[in-house]
Structure formats: structure tokens, C-alpha cells
Amino acid sequence: MSDRKKNRESQNRNQGRPNNGPYQSGPYNGPYQNGPYNGPNNGYQNGPYNGPNNGPYQNGPYNGPNNGYQNGPYNGPGNGPYNNGQYQQNGPYNGQYQNGAYQNGPYNGPGNGAPSGGYPGGKDRKSSKRKTRRRVIFVIEILVLLLLAVGLFVAAKFSKLKTEKIAEGDIIINSEIPSEQAAVMKGYRNIALFGVDSRDASTTDSRSDTIMIASINNETKDIKLVSIYRDTYLDNTNGEYRKATECYQFGGPKRSMNMINKNLDMDITDYVTVNFNAVAEVVNALGGVEIDIQEDEIVHLNNYQVEGSEVTGLEIVPVESTGLQTLNGLQALSYCRIRYTTGDDFKRTERQRTVLEQIFKKAKTANILKLNEIIDSVFDNISTSLSVTEMASLAKDIAAYNMSDTTGFPFEQMPANIAAGDCVVPVNLAQNVKELHTYLFGSDGYTPSNTVQEISNKIINETGIQ
């Protein structure tokens, strides 16, 4: 029987039945019957919503062999996002999760998984590992190149320094220091600091206006500064008793370190020397330092600027008022040199420590660009025995350091005009050394070495001051 005849008979059978109504055999036949909603391939019967192979709701609103929720967008062997689309075909959560990200893992499918290979065991797993390995190697190569670049940069900076390696055999350390005290001192890094009245920090033809011990607690990072008064009457290492400042002029930093070690039972093996220019340049690079200026200091500060300007080439800016204010490099340098107010040289060393504390305080918060500027400006004016590695090791912990206290030495002293000139005479050197070790290392009850005791007795005999 032809399709046309079958359709006509089907229409005749449906006429007048309860389900025909206006959409089948009644007044709305024609376009609604053989049009979009009916007819052999149309309408609700065989059109987009019915028929054997059509429409999402074929053969009933949700069923049919190949349509609707079965083979439409939500079902069927090859259609729909939840069956053979996104979430089904080969596992309960297939589709993009099955032949995509999670296939062959807990959200399975037969041969896929995470993009190319799956997480537990896709076929591209080896390729993924090779890519990961290449990335790691690339990152390591970049890091190595960066480290080399930094190393070259640091080496170039530190190459400006004037360095002097001090041989171990050239350093005097009193052998009678008790072993337990020597062990305590090993927990500290003790460095001699010298400031010289010279354009060249490494010269040995200048006296050291500044003599300090910087003692760094290796565990706590606390720093203590001790100024040795430049006119202190001591053994100049060879049995000759003179002012401490003269050691640098006749024997440079090595002899000055030996003078400190021999007279004070210290174990210093390294030094840093700076000249006028270094102090002024560092302060300028840091944007100045905050200093509380007293009335009797103003005239001397401005007078010292005249000589300082001749040495450094910096412009003189007079200080005109008292109180807390920001000093520039030349002003701060001149402040450090004042010795004609109440307190004489004792007050001068206090000023030096104050400026150094302020420099340290600002350097701790300086960024890398600022520190680089400081290096460029001052390294030509510094001499040291520290190696690049040692300086880098100290510098890397600068933020952790803390300037805990400062003082002057000798603690008990008396000015005297003797054969060596106007000197500061220790009132019993041995007792002062004992107090020094308590101050620096917490060594209560320390007994000075025989060498120190002999020097102390010699000073008493020569000066009569005890």
C-alpha cells in the first residue's frame, strides 16, 4: 500500500475520535494536520515532537526508541549532555569528564582522562612527565644564571675595596687567656673599626682618630660598640708605652689590632678602616642622620666643616640652631670631630658612636638600590681584612642585627700629662679589662691574663696612677 493511501486511511480512522479534536480532523486540519504539528512527518505525531525518529519528546513526552530523554539531548546512545554527551558514554560521569579531564580516574571512561593521559594512568603520562622535567630543568638553569649574575655583580662591587689579608701568625692573642673564656669569646665576632684623618683609608701615615671594637653576638645578633679613647696610655705592642692612636700611624691596622688584643685580652683578627669621605658619603646616601645638637656644639661643628669641605669637596651648610635635626654628610662628619666641649675626647667618642648608631639604624631599612648607592660611593674609601664572602655573610643578616649598647674604654681613667704627652691613664688596667669582659661577654669574675696584669703594673709604676 502506498504511503499516501496509508495516511488517508489513518486520517479517516482518527476522524471523530476523542483525541482528534481541532488539531486532527476538525476545523484545524490541513496545515495543522499535515503541517508543522501533524501529518506523516510533522506535528505532534511525526513532526519535531513525535514520529519514529524525530523531536526531543518523540513517542510520548519523554520516551521513544531514539528520541526525547532517551536519545535526545538527555538520553540515547549517542546524544544529550547527560548520556552520550558530557556525562555518560563510558562511565557515570563521562563526556567532558570522561573523555576529558577525569577519564580513567575516579570519573572514568575507557581510554582518556585528564587532558592527554588522565591522572592515574593515561597514555600520555610519560610525555607529561618529560614536559614537567623540562620545566624543572629550565627553572634551575634560570636560577643558576641569576646566581651567577648576582655573584658577578657583588664581586664587581667589592673589587673596589682595598683589602689586606692578615696572616694568622701576624696577630697577637695572649696565650694565657683561660680556655673557658676563649670558648666564650668564640661565640662573638669581634672586629676593630678605625677612622683615620686621611683621604686614603688604607694609609699607615695617619693616626686613628677613632678606635672601636664592634662585638657581634653570633646567636642573638646583638652588637655592642666600645670606643677606646685615642689618647689611652698603653703598650704599643713592642714594650713602648704611648698613646693608642699612634699605633696606626706607625704600624697600620695590624699593629693597632695587636695593641687592642695585647692590652685588653681580645681575639680580634679583622678590621675595617674608613676615612673622612666614607663617613660623609654614607650619611648623604642615607639622606642624613637625626642628631640632637647642643648650644656649645654649633660653633665647633661649623668650624670643622671648613677643613672637612677641603678634604671631601662637599659644600658647607652652616648649622644655625639647636635641637633634633637632620645633619648632612659634612655636618655629621664635623659633629664626630668635636672635642673642645665639656667631656673633651670622652664626649667626642660618644658623638662618634651616636652617628654610627644612626647610620646603622637607617641602613637596616634601606632598600637594595639605596645600599647599592652606598657601596658605589664609599667602597673607594674603605680598607678591610674581611673577604667578600665574610662581608656578604655579615650583610645578609643586617635586618636581624640590633645595636644593643655602646660605651667608652677605660671605664675608670684619669687624664695626665706625662712623657708621652697628654694621655688618658687607665686606673688599674687589669680591673678595667675585667669589667670589659663582663660588659661584652657576660663573663663575671673574669681574671685577666698575666700579660695584661704585667702591663697594668707597668702603667702604675710609670704614672703613679692606680
Side-chain angles (χ1 to χ4, degrees), residues 307-364:
E307 181 185 357
S309 178
E310 294 174 356
V311 174
T312 64
L314 297 173
E315 180 183 355
I316 297 173
V317 179
V319 172
E320 298 176 343
S321 61
T322 61
L324 187 65
Q325 55 195 285
T326 301
L327 299 186
N328 65 28
L330 181 56
Q331 292 168 339
L333 171 64
S334 301
Y335 176 78
C336 288
R337 301 186 66 197
I338 298 173
R339 63 180 300 188
Y340 299 111
T341 62
T342 301
D344 301 317
D345 193 47
F346 311 120
K347 184 64 177 177
R348 178 170 70 166
T349 62
E350 182 182 326
R351 293 187 186 99
Q352 293 169 352
R353 296 194 302 274
T354 298
V355 170
L356 192 56
E357 284 183 276
Q358 291 302 310
I359 290 174
F360 179 75
K361 180 179 179 180
K362 297 198 74 171
K364 283 183 65 174

Side-chain angles (χ1 to χ4, degrees), residues 371-384:
L371 293 175
N372 180 58
E373 180 183 342
I374 293 171
I375 290 172
D376 284 338
S377 63
V378 305
F379 269 24
D380 285 335
N381 302 303
I382 295 177
S383 174
T384 183

Side-chain angles (χ1 to χ4, degrees), residues 60-242:
Y62 298 96
N63 225 342
N66 291 302
N67 300 298
Y69 279 94
Q70 190 172 40
N71 286 329
Y74 294 91
N75 218 347
N79 300 303
Y82 290 90
N83 195 2
N84 287 333
Q86 294 178 332
Y87 292 93
Q88 213 174 57
Q89 195 177 22
N90 289 318
Y93 294 96
N94 288 338
Q96 72 180 41
Y97 287 90
Q98 182 257 356
N99 286 333
Y102 292 93
Q103 187 274 347
N104 274 346
Y107 299 94
N108 273 339
N112 302 302
S116 285
Y119 285 108
K123 59 186 177 182
D124 293 329
R125 186 175 182 181
K126 291 183 179 179
S127 175
S128 178
K129 285 184 176 181
R130 284 194 296 270
K131 290 179 180 178
T132 301
R133 226 176 2 252
R134 285 196 295 269
R135 292 190 189 102
V136 170
I137 292 172
F138 177 73
V139 170
I140 291 174
E141 289 173 345
I142 293 297
L143 289 175
V144 170
L145 289 174
L146 285 174
L147 288 173
L148 287 173
V150 171
L152 291 172
F153 175 79
V154 171
K157 295 296 180 184
F158 282 94
S159 66
K160 296 182 177 182
L161 281 172
K162 302 176 185 69
T163 59
E164 177 186 4
K165 188 63 178 176
I166 306 295
E168 186 176 347
D170 291 339
I171 293 297
I172 295 173
I173 297 177
N174 294 334
S175 60
E176 314 97 300
I177 296 175
S179 58
E180 58 271 20
Q181 181 64 10
V184 170
M185 293 165 65
K186 291 297 182 185
Y188 296 78
R189 183 69 182 270
N190 301 306
I191 302 172
L193 307 179
F194 303 111
V196 296
D197 183 0
S198 169
R199 291 178 182 269
D200 183 356
S202 63
T203 187
T204 58
D205 60 3
S206 297
R207 296 186 179 189
S208 52
D209 283 344
T210 300
I211 306 171
M212 288 187 190
I213 300 171
S215 184
I216 306 170
N217 187 313
N218 294 330
E219 182 177 352
T220 67
K221 305 302 181 184
D222 286 341
I223 302 174
K224 289 183 178 179
L225 288 179
V226 178
S227 295
I228 299 173
Y229 302 128
R230 53 168 286 167
D231 293 332
T232 304
Y233 189 63
L234 296 171
D235 181 348
N236 275 17
T237 71
N238 59 358
E240 184 180 8
Y241 286 71
R242 302 181 65 90

Side-chain angles (χ1 to χ4, degrees), residues 377-394:
S377 63
V378 305
F379 269 24
D380 285 335
N381 302 303
I382 295 177
S383 174
T384 183
S385 62
L386 294 168
S387 68
V388 172
T389 302
E390 289 171 321
M391 284 185 284
S393 177
L394 291 170

